[in-house]
Amino acid sequence: MIAKVMQMEKFVEQTLLYDFYGELLTRRQQQVYESVVLEDYSLSEVAEDLGISRQGVHDMIRRVNKTLEEYEGKLHLVEKFLNIRTQVRRIRELAGEHQVKEIAAISNEILEEL
């Protein structure tokens, strides 16, 4: 059970990193990463599809993960996003407790834009 939760957290982290920084990757990197990580194709399926080795696909996924983590280490966009989302959710909670509809509406708009 714990391993499944950790695996899900890793997937969510990978997805967020890709959402923020995926456009900075080459088209080929995007194609391979999306197939393996987001669409859950096997390394062998992707390798066969693209005419490269299974090891080549594996290495590219590792390099892309490292690259995405390096972007986050420098830019902190995912961290900032998560902090803002947490703060806006707290604003929404407080607004709900005090029946301040305008604050709740604004916080909902911000969350939708994130």
Side-chain angles (χ1 to χ4, degrees):
M1 178 71 171
I2 292 173
K4 204 167 220 172
V5 170
M6 289 176 61
Q7 184 179 15
M8 181 59 83
E9 287 176 4
K10 183 65 176 171
F11 176 75
V12 170
E13 178 185 342
Q14 288 176 313
T15 303
L16 280 172
L17 289 171
Y18 186 76
D19 285 346
F20 277 87
Y21 306 113
E23 291 295 318
L24 300 173
L25 301 171
T26 67
R27 183 63 203 129
R28 180 76 156 193
Q29 288 172 323
Q30 290 173 11
Q31 183 181 20
V32 170
Y33 196 82
E34 287 173 9
S35 295
V36 174
V37 176
L38 304 180
E39 297 170 9
D40 203 28
Y41 285 97
S42 72
L43 298 178
S44 298
E45 290 171 314
V46 175
E48 185 178 323
D49 232 19
L50 299 176
I52 59 177
S53 70
R54 184 185 175 285
Q55 184 64 44
V57 173
H58 179 266
D59 291 346
M60 185 178 293
I61 295 299
R62 288 186 53 208
R63 280 193 312 271
V64 168
N65 279 329
K66 183 179 180 203
T67 299
L68 294 173
E69 289 171 7
E70 287 173 355
Y71 288 146
E72 176 61 14
K74 292 176 183 172
L75 300 171
H76 307 285
L77 296 178
V78 174
E79 179 184 344
K80 290 174 186 175
F81 166 79
L82 294 173
N83 287 336
I84 290 169
R85 187 174 68 177
T86 299
Q87 291 170 335
V88 171
R89 285 185 174 156
R90 182 67 181 136
I91 288 170
R92 187 171 45 185
E93 289 172 13
L94 293 170
E97 293 171 9
H98 294 84
Q99 304 299 317
V100 182
K101 292 182 181 181
E102 188 173 341
I103 294 174
I106 292 169
S107 67
N108 285 334
E109 285 177 35
I110 293 169
L111 281 174
E112 286 177 22
E113 288 182 35
L114 295 175

